[in-house]
Amino acid sequence: MSAPAGKPLLIDRELLDAVSGEARHSPRQRKNRNFHRDDAAVAHRLLNAIEPGSYLMPHRHLDAHKDETMVVLRGRLGVVFFDAVGNVEQTVLLQATGAVCGVDIPHAVYHTVLALEPGTVMLEAKAGPYLPLDAAEKAPWAPAEGAPEAAAYAQSLSERFARG
């Protein structure tokens, strides 16, 4: 779903529902809807739909131009910040109608995100071009995506956001 060339694309409930549906049916339980033309674009703007149970390995972006902005449009998103050895330094709950709806993450800061309710969608912006994370950007103390211990690790992080 994209707008015709030269026409505005509305970010409406229909679009959020569509990308959420794609995330629900994805093996990774998340799905991007890119607004930028291709991976080489200098500015990346995208919707990122994430379902509970999706695991995004803690990571950082070492490129000084790769600060990352996230604004929740729907749902609840937990953001966890770590020090260099994996200790949790800060957690923040992002909600579209909550006290905090977004965050700007400086480059070189280890972080991960966790969907805390179905249908969570955020708007994400960062500099391009897209490059896969290299070994120095992946947290060496965290399980890799798909590793047997990843689900338990993600659950332990999610529990930091338990409603109480």
Side-chain angles (χ1 to χ4, degrees):
M1 176 182 300
S2 61
K7 299 288 184 182
L9 173 65
L10 301 180
I11 301 172
D12 57 13
R13 185 168 292 141
E14 181 181 352
L15 180 57
L16 298 181
D17 289 345
V19 72
S20 287
E22 292 170 21
R24 270 192 311 279
H25 294 99
S26 165
R28 297 173 75 199
Q29 294 290 287
R30 61 181 184 266
K31 183 68 177 175
N32 288 355
R33 180 64 55 91
N34 295 343
F35 299 138
H36 51 281
R37 188 163 302 195
D38 56 43
D39 286 346
V42 296
H44 284 207
R45 303 155 342 273
L46 57 132
L47 295 179
N48 196 338
I50 306 174
E51 291 297 306
S54 180
Y55 173 65
L56 181 66
M57 182 182 183
H59 64 283
R60 61 186 176 172
H61 304 282
L62 293 175
D63 183 328
H65 300 288
K66 296 281 186 175
D67 295 355
E68 194 169 12
T69 302
M70 301 172 185
V71 178
V72 170
L73 302 177
R74 183 166 70 186
R76 297 173 66 238
L77 188 74
V79 184
V80 183
F81 300 99
F82 306 88
D83 68 14
V85 295
N87 297 309
V88 173
E89 289 193 321
Q90 183 181 5
T91 61
V92 63
L93 174 63
L94 305 181
Q95 298 180 92
T97 59
V100 181
C101 65
V103 63
D104 187 60
I105 304 170
H107 67 281
V109 174
Y110 280 112
H111 62 282
T112 191
V113 298
L114 305 137
L116 302 173
E117 70 181 41
T120 296
V121 181
M122 69 169 154
L123 177 66
E124 186 175 338
K126 58 188 165 192
Y130 169 78
L131 297 170
L133 295 173
D134 66 29
E137 294 177 307
K138 296 176 182 178
W141 34 261
E145 185 176 333
E149 62 276 17
Y153 179 71
Q155 181 61 36
S156 73
L157 295 175
S158 290
E159 289 169 0
R160 294 173 174 271
F161 299 94
R163 293 183 183 187

